[in-house]
């Protein structure tokens, strides 16, 4: 197996740059530049020199002996002064050492998976952690990366394996007198796991929204102040504003961090009947995006019916509230009237929904959980028919166990590994 290396910190000038080396030649390769290595898990300052003996940098060196390392292999980290010239020189020296090559995207983490330092769910959690932009996303990713989903899947698996073992024992001794009916305990185990899986599946939709970001659509008639409100919240001219009706023809998006929640605000075309073909396309897109959004903010103007009706939980305000003294719940993107209260309401509603979020946050997770749940539900039905159906029940339980194994990357995941690791940087 090749020893790999890569820059583990961001490209460009920085205070410190870290180059990571992993593989069977990690210690020997680092010694070519630094001379002696410090003891594993001890830091040491070393002078790094090129092939001609010229000084490249004075760096801090840390060694991790496998398998007690991130990748499960021998690992060395070179903490350099963050000059691009220093990094380039060290990378050049490493590249000419036999048996070393530049790491591919995500290859360090892939080796951690192959060496059973991480399971696939934890790898996905690490990817989400790297990509996290808000505090809520960080917390969710950290739960998965730290093994929360893995532990839960192992618990479910142990329960259904217990149920399968009870059935197998009955099948093996079918010709003998079995002193105890295992059906009640099997039913209890299966029901408990199925209910947990159902709850996880429901919460996975909210968790996925947290990962991707919640969408909040601003809806109203033409000239209701939607674009002005969006610009006020974004603190920039994200949308063109005009007194001419129909100015907004397409959906304009502004992504923001709303008190730790990832939220994308959607400025939609004014909803009205129109003969303008282009405006009509924009209105149809606006209606579709608004219906698909997690929450809608309606800017109402007196006497103007809309093409889209509010749903339960949507927020409604009086548009251009700075010009309407008697308007209920006034809001204005021009003066900021009511905007803070509106954002607080959006945060409260989305935070309340977030309480339903569970650990599973990927479509792959949801599919595996559905397969397991459906197999267990069928097993529950069949076990009621007694011992003559036990072999069928046991096979359904094995199907559920395989689905949970795929959740952790133990089987049937080769087709998705390349896609997962392609999103990682070279040094991870």
């Amino acid at each position: 197996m090749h020893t790999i290396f890569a820059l583990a910190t961001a490209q460009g000038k920085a205070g410190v740059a870290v180059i990571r080396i992993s593989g069977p030649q990690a210690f020997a390769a680092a010694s070519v530049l630094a001379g002696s290595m410090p003891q594993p898990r001890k830091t040491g300052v070393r002078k790094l020199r090129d092939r001609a003996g010229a000084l490249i940098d004075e760096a801090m060196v840390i060694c991790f002996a496998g398998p007690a390392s991130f990748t499960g292999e021998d690992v060395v980290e070179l903490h350099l002064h963050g000059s691009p010239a220093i990094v380039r020189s060290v990378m050049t020296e490493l590249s000419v050492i036999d048996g070393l090559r530049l790491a591919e995207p995500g290859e360090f983490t892939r080796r951690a998976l192959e060496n059973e330092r991480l399971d696939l769910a934890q790898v996905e959690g690490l990817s989400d952690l790297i990509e996290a932009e808000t505090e809520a996303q960080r917390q969710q990713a950290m739960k998965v990366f730290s093994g929360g989903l893995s532990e839960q899947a192992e618990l479910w698996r142990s329960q259904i394996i217990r149920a399968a073992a009870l059935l197998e024992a009955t099948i093996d001794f079918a010709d003998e007198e079995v002193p105890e009916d295992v059906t009640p305990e099997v039913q209890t185990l299966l029901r408990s796991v199925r209910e947990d899986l159902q709850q996880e599946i429901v919460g996975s939709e909210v968790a996925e929204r947290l990962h991707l970001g919640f969408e909040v659509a601003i809806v109203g008639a033409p000239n209701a102040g939607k674009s002005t409100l969006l610009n006020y919240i974004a603190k920039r001219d994200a949308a063109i504003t005009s007194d001419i009706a129909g100015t907004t023809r397409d959906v304009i998006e502004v992504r923001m961090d709303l008190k730790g929640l990832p939220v994308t605000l959607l400025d939609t075309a004014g909803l009205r009947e129109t003969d303008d073909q282009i405006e009509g396309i924009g209105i149809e897109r606006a209606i579709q995006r608004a219906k698909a959004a997690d929450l809608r903010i309606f800017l109402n103007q007196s006497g103007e019916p809309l093409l889209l009706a509010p749903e339960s939980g949507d927020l409604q305000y009086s548009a251009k509230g700075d010009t309407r003294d008697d308007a209920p719940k006034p809001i204005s993107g021009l003066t900021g009237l009511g905007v803070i209260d509106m954002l607080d309401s959006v945060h409260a509603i989305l935070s309340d929904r977030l309480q339903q979020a569970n650990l599973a946050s990927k479509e792959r997770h949801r599919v595996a959980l559905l397969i397991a749940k459906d197999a267990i539900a069928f097993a529950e039905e069949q076990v009621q028919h007694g011992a003559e159906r036990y072999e069928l029940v046991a096979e359904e339980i094995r199907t559920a166990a395989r689905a949970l194994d795929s959740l952790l990357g133990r089987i049937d995941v080769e087709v998705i590994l390349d896609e997962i690791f392609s999103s990682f940087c070279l040094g991870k």
Side-chain angles (χ1 to χ4, degrees), residues 366-377:
R366 192 181 70 84
V367 170
L369 293 172
L370 279 171
I371 293 173
K373 181 187 75 73
D374 290 345
I376 291 173

Side-chain angles (χ1 to χ4, degrees), residues 17-69:
V18 178
I19 291 178
R20 178 179 288 161
I21 311 168
S22 179
Q25 292 179 245
F27 291 176
S31 297
V32 172
L33 279 75
S36 64
M37 290 286 97
Q39 291 296 313
R41 299 186 176 274
K42 302 289 186 180
T43 59
V45 176
R46 297 290 187 272
K47 295 182 185 297
L48 306 185
R49 299 183 182 274
D50 63 18
R51 285 159 288 173
L55 182 64
I56 300 174
D57 190 25
E58 191 170 26
M60 186 173 70
V61 180
I62 309 176
C63 302
F64 302 90
S69 69

Side-chain angles (χ1 to χ4, degrees), residues 10 75 88 97-98 137-138 141 173 176 202 253 270 298 310 315:
V75 173
R88 187 164 51 250
I97 299 176
D98 289 340
Q137 289 175 323
R138 183 197 67 78
F173 295 98
E176 302 179 20
V202 172
E253 302 181 4
F298 282 83
L315 298 174

Side-chain angles (χ1 to χ4, degrees), residues 204-215:
S204 69
E205 297 181 5
V206 180
E208 184 176 16
R209 294 308 300 162
L210 173 60
H211 172 64
L212 299 174
F214 295 101
E215 287 194 347

